[in-house]
Amino acid sequence: MKQLSYPLTLSIFFVLISVFSFGQEICNNNIDDDGDRLIDLYDIEDCPCTRADTFKISLIPNPSFEVVNCIPDWVSQMNCAEGWSQATLATTDLFSTDGYMSNLVPLPIPDGNNCVATIFHWDWMEYLGICLNGPLLANQSYLLNFNVAANVYLPISEIDTPPIPIDLVLFGKTTCDQFPLQTYVCPESFGWKEIGRITYIMNESWGKSYIFFTPQEDIYSIMLGGSCNYAEVENHQALDGGQAYIFWDNLQLNLAEEEIIYYVPNTFTPNGDEHNNIFNPVFVCGYDPLEYRFDIYDRWGEIVFTSLDAEMGWDGTYNGLPTKEGVFGWKLEYKAENTTEKKVLTGHANLLR
């Protein structure tokens, strides 16, 4: 048998390397696994559209920042995440367990090896910004789910992160313009409009949150960060000169489509101020209000509060007296509309005064 020549053998070797260096396309992770420059359902050959009802593709490209064209070795390297760039002159940070990782980042990262961070300060507001895979259509309801954590960043030292409420705001624009915006603060003067927000209680541990919204016009690009009036209305003074450092991961943006949409906070502060005085699940849509029960337990397993109405939450009292600070367990029973199956969820929440 005639042996293959050395150049031909080498050529076949490199072909095999190029083929097998990529795996089979995984159709629900927003990553180009097989190296054909097509991702998930956009890879028609490997992910037939008949599977579209089994999962959802985020309208945000590279939503977990896992696809990279470089490994960050310092702060302000958002451009290393494929499809992303700096949204404004105030520079967002990309962190990676494969490269640079700040000691302020809570570990483990919820999804993969990478996450991003934005600073909220009265004269330095960092944002995430990107053009979408497809437009958000006017008068359609959408849900942005994401993992979030927070820390207080000080130039010289670190302090414990207090449970300060801050607003996380979603901005949209009817065009897809080039980034970065020539600003260090709010993007509203550049034609960006607020399309949704949620109040988040700063917590050093990763948690899940969401923004439910209905745009009034078609939106082709989004920005995510702090509110425009942060300096006037937020409790930034409580940070003792520090800056709110917010960590983000796994930004899943999809049509709401009759889902059960709810959120259970992990902390509440019934101290009589204007923020976060009542603890209850927040249901947006999709649940049966006649099949709802919410119980709160103390550390000994005794029920201290029960509600059969999703609009009625716990004010932190028992038998008319304020309860002490601590961790309380909760149990939520609910049913989706047009189904007979009840669901039961349990968890814990911190009561702080």
Side-chain angles (χ1 to χ4, degrees), residues 48-89:
C49 289
T50 54
R51 299 181 58 194
D53 60 345
T54 62
F55 59 88
K56 293 183 176 181
I57 301 298
S58 180
L59 288 168
I60 298 176
N62 195 8
S64 290
F65 319 103
E66 294 301 306
V67 183
V68 295
N69 48 50
C70 58
I71 302 297
D73 57 14
W74 191 233
V75 296
S76 305
Q77 296 183 13
M78 191 66 204
N79 59 297
C80 280
E82 187 170 303
W84 293 87
S85 61
Q86 294 297 347
T88 65
L89 295 178

mmCIF file of all heavy atoms in Angstrom, residues 48-89:
data_model
loop_
_atom_site.group_PDB
_atom_site.id
_atom_site.type_symbol
_atom_site.label_atom_id
_atom_site.label_comp_id
_atom_site.label_asym_id
_atom_site.label_seq_id
_atom_site.Cartn_x
_atom_site.Cartn_y
_atom_site.Cartn_z
ATOM 1 N N PRO A 48 -32.960 22.548 14.112
ATOM 2 C CA PRO A 48 -34.181 22.803 13.335
ATOM 3 C C PRO A 48 -35.198 23.594 14.141
ATOM 4 O O PRO A 48 -35.314 23.438 15.349
ATOM 5 C CB PRO A 48 -34.704 21.398 13.027
ATOM 6 C CG PRO A 48 -33.512 20.508 13.158
ATOM 7 C CD PRO A 48 -32.656 21.126 14.224
ATOM 8 N N CYS A 49 -35.921 24.437 13.447
ATOM 9 C CA CYS A 49 -36.880 25.313 14.125
ATOM 10 C C CYS A 49 -38.021 24.543 14.766
ATOM 11 O O CYS A 49 -38.766 25.105 15.570
ATOM 12 C CB CYS A 49 -37.437 26.345 13.143
ATOM 13 S SG CYS A 49 -36.210 27.589 12.672
ATOM 14 N N THR A 50 -38.186 23.252 14.428
ATOM 15 C CA THR A 50 -39.230 22.462 15.070
ATOM 16 C C THR A 50 -38.975 22.311 16.559
ATOM 17 O O THR A 50 -39.879 21.949 17.303
ATOM 18 C CB THR A 50 -39.298 21.062 14.439
ATOM 19 O OG1 THR A 50 -37.990 20.465 14.498
ATOM 20 C CG2 THR A 50 -39.752 21.132 13.006
ATOM 21 N N ARG A 51 -37.754 22.627 17.011
ATOM 22 C CA ARG A 51 -37.446 22.523 18.425
ATOM 23 C C ARG A 51 -37.650 23.839 19.144
ATOM 24 O O ARG A 51 -37.347 23.960 20.327
ATOM 25 C CB ARG A 51 -35.991 22.074 18.611
ATOM 26 C CG ARG A 51 -35.690 20.717 18.015
ATOM 27 C CD ARG A 51 -34.247 20.334 18.247
ATOM 28 N NE ARG A 51 -33.940 20.316 19.668
ATOM 29 C CZ ARG A 51 -32.708 20.286 20.143
ATOM 30 N NH1 ARG A 51 -31.674 20.299 19.322
ATOM 31 N NH2 ARG A 51 -32.493 20.253 21.443
ATOM 32 N N ALA A 52 -38.165 24.822 18.468
ATOM 33 C CA ALA A 52 -38.235 26.169 19.050
ATOM 34 C C ALA A 52 -39.144 26.237 20.264
ATOM 35 O O ALA A 52 -38.997 27.114 21.102
ATOM 36 C CB ALA A 52 -38.717 27.167 17.997
ATOM 37 N N ASP A 53 -40.105 25.280 20.386
ATOM 38 C CA ASP A 53 -41.011 25.355 21.513
ATOM 39 C C ASP A 53 -40.420 24.760 22.784
ATOM 40 O O ASP A 53 -41.041 24.790 23.839
ATOM 41 C CB ASP A 53 -42.334 24.638 21.177
ATOM 42 C CG ASP A 53 -42.103 23.166 20.842
ATOM 43 O OD1 ASP A 53 -40.941 22.790 20.601
ATOM 44 O OD2 ASP A 53 -43.093 22.415 20.833
ATOM 45 N N THR A 54 -39.217 24.203 22.725
ATOM 46 C CA THR A 54 -38.628 23.573 23.894
ATOM 47 C C THR A 54 -37.766 24.525 24.708
ATOM 48 O O THR A 54 -37.402 24.223 25.818
ATOM 49 C CB THR A 54 -37.775 22.357 23.480
ATOM 50 O OG1 THR A 54 -36.696 22.799 22.654
ATOM 51 C CG2 THR A 54 -38.603 21.357 22.712
ATOM 52 N N PHE A 55 -37.411 25.663 24.191
ATOM 53 C CA PHE A 55 -36.617 26.630 24.931
ATOM 54 C C PHE A 55 -36.732 27.986 24.251
ATOM 55 O O PHE A 55 -37.326 28.120 23.191
ATOM 56 C CB PHE A 55 -35.145 26.210 25.017
ATOM 57 C CG PHE A 55 -34.487 26.034 23.676
ATOM 58 C CD1 PHE A 55 -33.888 27.095 23.032
ATOM 59 C CD2 PHE A 55 -34.478 24.792 23.061
ATOM 60 C CE1 PHE A 55 -33.282 26.937 21.802
ATOM 61 C CE2 PHE A 55 -33.873 24.634 21.815
ATOM 62 C CZ PHE A 55 -33.288 25.696 21.189
ATOM 63 N N LYS A 56 -36.143 28.979 24.860
ATOM 64 C CA LYS A 56 -36.201 30.328 24.309
ATOM 65 C C LYS A 56 -34.794 30.862 24.115
ATOM 66 O O LYS A 56 -33.895 30.594 24.912
ATOM 67 C CB LYS A 56 -36.984 31.251 25.240
ATOM 68 C CG LYS A 56 -38.465 30.893 25.336
ATOM 69 C CD LYS A 56 -39.188 31.886 26.221
ATOM 70 C CE LYS A 56 -40.686 31.574 26.244
ATOM 71 N NZ LYS A 56 -41.414 32.549 27.084
ATOM 72 N N ILE A 57 -34.614 31.620 23.065
ATOM 73 C CA ILE A 57 -33.344 32.255 22.786
ATOM 74 C C ILE A 57 -33.418 33.707 23.238
ATOM 75 O O ILE A 57 -34.347 34.425 22.891
ATOM 76 C CB ILE A 57 -33.012 32.185 21.288
ATOM 77 C CG1 ILE A 57 -32.945 30.733 20.832
ATOM 78 C CG2 ILE A 57 -31.702 32.899 20.992
ATOM 79 C CD1 ILE A 57 -31.869 29.930 21.510
ATOM 80 N N SER A 58 -32.430 34.146 24.005
ATOM 81 C CA SER A 58 -32.434 35.533 24.453
ATOM 82 C C SER A 58 -32.264 36.464 23.256
ATOM 83 O O SER A 58 -31.474 36.207 22.343
ATOM 84 C CB SER A 58 -31.286 35.763 25.449
ATOM 85 O OG SER A 58 -31.277 37.108 25.881
ATOM 86 N N LEU A 59 -33.021 37.562 23.277
ATOM 87 C CA LEU A 59 -32.860 38.585 22.257
ATOM 88 C C LEU A 59 -31.569 39.377 22.446
ATOM 89 O O LEU A 59 -31.191 40.162 21.584
ATOM 90 C CB LEU A 59 -34.065 39.532 22.273
ATOM 91 C CG LEU A 59 -35.374 38.941 21.735
ATOM 92 C CD1 LEU A 59 -36.550 39.849 22.066
ATOM 93 C CD2 LEU A 59 -35.285 38.701 20.249
ATOM 94 N N ILE A 60 -30.897 39.152 23.562
ATOM 95 C CA ILE A 60 -29.610 39.806 23.829
ATOM 96 C C ILE A 60 -28.493 38.881 23.355
ATOM 97 O O ILE A 60 -28.390 37.745 23.825
ATOM 98 C CB ILE A 60 -29.446 40.102 25.325
ATOM 99 C CG1 ILE A 60 -30.530 41.074 25.794
ATOM 100 C CG2 ILE A 60 -28.062 40.655 25.621
ATOM 101 C CD1 ILE A 60 -30.505 41.357 27.275
ATOM 102 N N PRO A 61 -27.649 39.310 22.439
ATOM 103 C CA PRO A 61 -26.536 38.462 21.997
ATOM 104 C C PRO A 61 -25.566 38.172 23.145
ATOM 105 O O PRO A 61 -25.352 39.016 24.016
ATOM 106 C CB PRO A 61 -25.856 39.310 20.908
ATOM 107 C CG PRO A 61 -26.882 40.320 20.492
ATOM 108 C CD PRO A 61 -27.703 40.591 21.713
ATOM 109 N N ASN A 62 -25.003 36.961 23.133
ATOM 110 C CA ASN A 62 -23.981 36.578 24.113
ATOM 111 C C ASN A 62 -24.408 36.982 25.521
ATOM 112 O O ASN A 62 -23.705 37.728 26.220
ATOM 113 C CB ASN A 62 -22.649 37.247 23.740
ATOM 114 C CG ASN A 62 -21.458 36.644 24.448
ATOM 115 O OD1 ASN A 62 -21.563 35.620 25.118
ATOM 116 N ND2 ASN A 62 -20.317 37.289 24.322
ATOM 117 N N PRO A 63 -25.562 36.487 26.011
ATOM 118 C CA PRO A 63 -26.171 37.014 27.232
ATOM 119 C C PRO A 63 -25.407 36.704 28.512
ATOM 120 O O PRO A 63 -25.603 37.373 29.515
ATOM 121 C CB PRO A 63 -27.548 36.357 27.249
ATOM 122 C CG PRO A 63 -27.359 35.089 26.494
ATOM 123 C CD PRO A 63 -26.379 35.415 25.406
ATOM 124 N N SER A 64 -24.545 35.677 28.479
ATOM 125 C CA SER A 64 -23.755 35.342 29.664
ATOM 126 C C SER A 64 -22.291 35.723 29.505
ATOM 127 O O SER A 64 -21.462 35.345 30.341
ATOM 128 C CB SER A 64 -23.867 33.845 29.976
ATOM 129 O OG SER A 64 -25.157 33.529 30.452
ATOM 130 N N PHE A 65 -21.963 36.421 28.410
ATOM 131 C CA PHE A 65 -20.614 36.951 28.177
ATOM 132 C C PHE A 65 -19.566 35.841 28.081
ATOM 133 O O PHE A 65 -18.386 36.063 28.340
ATOM 134 C CB PHE A 65 -20.227 37.943 29.295
ATOM 135 C CG PHE A 65 -21.343 38.849 29.704
ATOM 136 C CD1 PHE A 65 -22.052 38.635 30.875
ATOM 137 C CD2 PHE A 65 -21.725 39.901 28.891
ATOM 138 C CE1 PHE A 65 -23.099 39.457 31.243
ATOM 139 C CE2 PHE A 65 -22.772 40.738 29.253
ATOM 140 C CZ PHE A 65 -23.464 40.514 30.427
ATOM 141 N N GLU A 66 -20.009 34.631 27.670
ATOM 142 C CA GLU A 66 -19.089 33.495 27.636
ATOM 143 C C GLU A 66 -18.287 33.431 26.342
ATOM 144 O O GLU A 66 -17.204 32.841 26.319
ATOM 145 C CB GLU A 66 -19.869 32.187 27.839
ATOM 146 C CG GLU A 66 -20.505 32.055 29.212
ATOM 147 C CD GLU A 66 -19.482 32.126 30.335
ATOM 148 O OE1 GLU A 66 -18.506 31.354 30.307
ATOM 149 O OE2 GLU A 66 -19.640 32.991 31.224
ATOM 150 N N VAL A 67 -18.845 33.977 25.249
ATOM 151 C CA VAL A 67 -18.114 33.980 23.984
ATOM 152 C C VAL A 67 -17.189 35.192 23.984
ATOM 153 O O VAL A 67 -17.651 36.334 24.069
ATOM 154 C CB VAL A 67 -19.077 34.035 22.788
ATOM 155 C CG1 VAL A 67 -18.289 33.969 21.480
ATOM 156 C CG2 VAL A 67 -20.079 32.892 22.856
ATOM 157 N N VAL A 68 -15.890 34.957 23.922
ATOM 158 C CA VAL A 68 -14.930 36.050 24.033
ATOM 159 C C VAL A 68 -13.956 36.029 22.863
ATOM 160 O O VAL A 68 -13.690 34.992 22.265
ATOM 161 C CB VAL A 68 -14.133 35.964 25.358
ATOM 162 C CG1 VAL A 68 -15.048 36.156 26.550
ATOM 163 C CG2 VAL A 68 -13.392 34.644 25.468
ATOM 164 N N ASN A 69 -13.439 37.201 22.517
ATOM 165 C CA ASN A 69 -12.376 37.312 21.523
ATOM 166 C C ASN A 69 -11.050 37.680 22.171
ATOM 167 O O ASN A 69 -10.040 37.808 21.481
ATOM 168 C CB ASN A 69 -12.755 38.324 20.436
ATOM 169 C CG ASN A 69 -13.271 39.628 21.009
ATOM 170 O OD1 ASN A 69 -12.641 40.218 21.889
ATOM 171 N ND2 ASN A 69 -14.433 40.077 20.540
ATOM 172 N N CYS A 70 -11.057 37.873 23.496
ATOM 173 C CA CYS A 70 -9.832 38.055 24.263
ATOM 174 C C CYS A 70 -10.165 37.784 25.722
ATOM 175 O O CYS A 70 -11.339 37.778 26.115
ATOM 176 C CB CYS A 70 -9.229 39.449 24.071
ATOM 177 S SG CYS A 70 -10.321 40.833 24.518
ATOM 178 N N ILE A 71 -9.148 37.534 26.516
ATOM 179 C CA ILE A 71 -9.334 37.268 27.945
ATOM 180 C C ILE A 71 -8.978 38.544 28.715
ATOM 181 O O ILE A 71 -7.875 39.070 28.570
ATOM 182 C CB ILE A 71 -8.439 36.105 28.422
ATOM 183 C CG1 ILE A 71 -8.751 34.846 27.616
ATOM 184 C CG2 ILE A 71 -8.649 35.851 29.906
ATOM 185 C CD1 ILE A 71 -10.160 34.330 27.772
ATOM 186 N N PRO A 72 -9.904 39.072 29.535
ATOM 187 C CA PRO A 72 -9.594 40.312 30.258
ATOM 188 C C PRO A 72 -8.457 40.107 31.244
ATOM 189 O O PRO A 72 -8.414 39.107 31.965
ATOM 190 C CB PRO A 72 -10.908 40.634 30.981
ATOM 191 C CG PRO A 72 -11.611 39.318 31.118
ATOM 192 C CD PRO A 72 -11.242 38.555 29.879
ATOM 193 N N ASP A 73 -7.513 41.062 31.255
ATOM 194 C CA ASP A 73 -6.420 41.013 32.216
ATOM 195 C C ASP A 73 -6.447 42.215 33.161
ATOM 196 O O ASP A 73 -5.537 42.394 33.965
ATOM 197 C CB ASP A 73 -5.064 40.921 31.512
ATOM 198 C CG ASP A 73 -4.831 42.069 30.535
ATOM 199 O OD1 ASP A 73 -5.580 43.071 30.586
ATOM 200 O OD2 ASP A 73 -3.902 41.955 29.711
ATOM 201 N N TRP A 74 -7.502 43.036 33.047
ATOM 202 C CA TRP A 74 -7.681 44.196 33.924
ATOM 203 C C TRP A 74 -9.116 44.674 33.764
ATOM 204 O O TRP A 74 -9.903 44.073 33.030
ATOM 205 C CB TRP A 74 -6.659 45.282 33.589
ATOM 206 C CG TRP A 74 -6.584 46.415 34.589
ATOM 207 C CD1 TRP A 74 -6.693 47.741 34.310
ATOM 208 C CD2 TRP A 74 -6.380 46.326 36.005
ATOM 209 N NE1 TRP A 74 -6.570 48.484 35.466
ATOM 210 C CE2 TRP A 74 -6.372 47.640 36.530
ATOM 211 C CE3 TRP A 74 -6.193 45.257 36.883
ATOM 212 C CZ2 TRP A 74 -6.214 47.917 37.877
ATOM 213 C CZ3 TRP A 74 -6.032 45.536 38.244
ATOM 214 C CH2 TRP A 74 -6.031 46.857 38.716
ATOM 215 N N VAL A 75 -9.473 45.754 34.436
ATOM 216 C CA VAL A 75 -10.827 46.308 34.331
ATOM 217 C C VAL A 75 -11.018 46.989 32.972
ATOM 218 O O VAL A 75 -10.077 47.140 32.192
ATOM 219 C CB VAL A 75 -11.089 47.304 35.479
ATOM 220 C CG1 VAL A 75 -11.053 46.595 36.821
ATOM 221 C CG2 VAL A 75 -10.081 48.438 35.445
ATOM 222 N N SER A 76 -12.256 47.393 32.683
ATOM 223 C CA SER A 76 -12.596 48.206 31.503
ATOM 224 C C SER A 76 -12.322 47.487 30.179
ATOM 225 O O SER A 76 -11.975 48.130 29.196
ATOM 226 C CB SER A 76 -11.837 49.544 31.531
ATOM 227 O OG SER A 76 -12.071 50.233 32.731
ATOM 228 N N GLN A 77 -12.501 46.164 30.150
ATOM 229 C CA GLN A 77 -12.251 45.408 28.922
ATOM 230 C C GLN A 77 -13.525 44.696 28.449
ATOM 231 O O GLN A 77 -13.510 43.535 28.085
ATOM 232 C CB GLN A 77 -11.103 44.426 29.126
ATOM 233 C CG GLN A 77 -9.783 45.121 29.418
ATOM 234 C CD GLN A 77 -8.618 44.163 29.541
ATOM 235 O OE1 GLN A 77 -8.697 42.996 29.183
ATOM 236 N NE2 GLN A 77 -7.503 44.667 30.047
ATOM 237 N N MET A 78 -14.631 45.446 28.436
ATOM 238 C CA MET A 78 -15.912 44.898 28.000
ATOM 239 C C MET A 78 -15.857 44.409 26.554
ATOM 240 O O MET A 78 -16.584 43.500 26.163
ATOM 241 C CB MET A 78 -16.995 45.971 28.158
ATOM 242 C CG MET A 78 -18.407 45.457 27.993
ATOM 243 S SD MET A 78 -18.845 44.319 29.313
ATOM 244 C CE MET A 78 -20.145 43.381 28.513
ATOM 245 N N ASN A 79 -14.994 45.014 25.752
ATOM 246 C CA ASN A 79 -14.905 44.644 24.343
ATOM 247 C C ASN A 79 -14.387 43.224 24.149
ATOM 248 O O ASN A 79 -14.495 42.672 23.047
ATOM 249 C CB ASN A 79 -13.972 45.615 23.611
ATOM 250 C CG ASN A 79 -12.571 45.626 24.211
ATOM 251 O OD1 ASN A 79 -12.412 45.990 25.376
ATOM 252 N ND2 ASN A 79 -11.572 45.242 23.443
ATOM 253 N N CYS A 80 -13.848 42.590 25.201
ATOM 254 C CA CYS A 80 -13.402 41.194 25.074
ATOM 255 C C CYS A 80 -14.583 40.233 24.914
ATOM 256 O O CYS A 80 -14.411 39.128 24.402
ATOM 257 C CB CYS A 80 -12.568 40.787 26.291
ATOM 258 S SG CYS A 80 -10.855 41.351 26.241
ATOM 259 N N ALA A 81 -15.768 40.619 25.376
ATOM 260 C CA ALA A 81 -16.962 39.789 25.202
ATOM 261 C C ALA A 81 -17.531 40.039 23.808
ATOM 262 O O ALA A 81 -17.861 41.170 23.461
ATOM 263 C CB ALA A 81 -18.007 40.120 26.266
ATOM 264 N N GLU A 82 -17.625 38.984 23.019
ATOM 265 C CA GLU A 82 -18.045 39.124 21.622
ATOM 266 C C GLU A 82 -19.427 39.767 21.529
ATOM 267 O O GLU A 82 -20.363 39.366 22.208
ATOM 268 C CB GLU A 82 -18.062 37.759 20.935
ATOM 269 C CG GLU A 82 -18.320 37.826 19.446
ATOM 270 C CD GLU A 82 -18.091 36.497 18.770
ATOM 271 O OE1 GLU A 82 -16.979 35.950 18.889
ATOM 272 O OE2 GLU A 82 -19.034 35.989 18.136
ATOM 273 N N GLY A 83 -19.547 40.781 20.683
ATOM 274 C CA GLY A 83 -20.802 41.490 20.484
ATOM 275 C C GLY A 83 -20.997 42.668 21.405
ATOM 276 O O GLY A 83 -21.876 43.502 21.166
ATOM 277 N N TRP A 84 -20.199 42.758 22.467
ATOM 278 C CA TRP A 84 -20.340 43.837 23.437
ATOM 279 C C TRP A 84 -19.208 44.853 23.264
ATOM 280 O O TRP A 84 -18.138 44.531 22.760
ATOM 281 C CB TRP A 84 -20.307 43.297 24.865
ATOM 282 C CG TRP A 84 -21.470 42.446 25.216
ATOM 283 C CD1 TRP A 84 -21.595 41.097 25.007
ATOM 284 C CD2 TRP A 84 -22.685 42.862 25.827
ATOM 285 N NE1 TRP A 84 -22.811 40.650 25.450
ATOM 286 C CE2 TRP A 84 -23.503 41.707 25.965
ATOM 287 C CE3 TRP A 84 -23.170 44.089 26.283
ATOM 288 C CZ2 TRP A 84 -24.769 41.767 26.543
ATOM 289 C CZ3 TRP A 84 -24.424 44.133 26.858
ATOM 290 C CH2 TRP A 84 -25.218 42.985 26.982
ATOM 291 N N SER A 85 -19.478 46.066 23.698
ATOM 292 C CA SER A 85 -18.459 47.117 23.739
ATOM 293 C C SER A 85 -18.833 48.056 24.879
ATOM 294 O O SER A 85 -19.851 47.864 25.549
ATOM 295 C CB SER A 85 -18.401 47.879 22.410
ATOM 296 O OG SER A 85 -19.652 48.506 22.138
ATOM 297 N N GLN A 86 -18.003 49.047 25.129
ATOM 298 C CA GLN A 86 -18.336 50.008 26.166
ATOM 299 C C GLN A 86 -19.552 50.823 25.725
ATOM 300 O O GLN A 86 -19.565 51.387 24.637
ATOM 301 C CB GLN A 86 -17.150 50.930 26.439
ATOM 302 C CG GLN A 86 -15.946 50.216 27.042
ATOM 303 C CD GLN A 86 -16.224 49.606 28.409
ATOM 304 O OE1 GLN A 86 -17.235 49.898 29.039
ATOM 305 N NE2 GLN A 86 -15.324 48.744 28.849
ATOM 306 N N ALA A 87 -20.575 50.877 26.587
ATOM 307 C CA ALA A 87 -21.797 51.592 26.230
ATOM 308 C C ALA A 87 -21.636 53.097 26.343
ATOM 309 O O ALA A 87 -22.230 53.846 25.575
ATOM 310 C CB ALA A 87 -22.954 51.117 27.100
ATOM 311 N N THR A 88 -20.829 53.556 27.317
ATOM 312 C CA THR A 88 -20.590 54.981 27.512
ATOM 313 C C THR A 88 -19.107 55.180 27.809
ATOM 314 O O THR A 88 -18.336 54.220 27.898
ATOM 315 C CB THR A 88 -21.423 55.534 28.682
ATOM 316 O OG1 THR A 88 -20.993 54.923 29.904
ATOM 317 C CG2 THR A 88 -22.909 55.272 28.471
ATOM 318 N N LEU A 89 -18.713 56.432 28.011
ATOM 319 C CA LEU A 89 -17.322 56.719 28.343
ATOM 320 C C LEU A 89 -16.950 56.194 29.726
ATOM 321 O O LEU A 89 -15.767 55.962 30.000
ATOM 322 C CB LEU A 89 -17.067 58.222 28.260
ATOM 323 C CG LEU A 89 -17.199 58.840 26.861
ATOM 324 C CD1 LEU A 89 -16.968 60.347 26.934
ATOM 325 C CD2 LEU A 89 -16.222 58.201 25.879
#
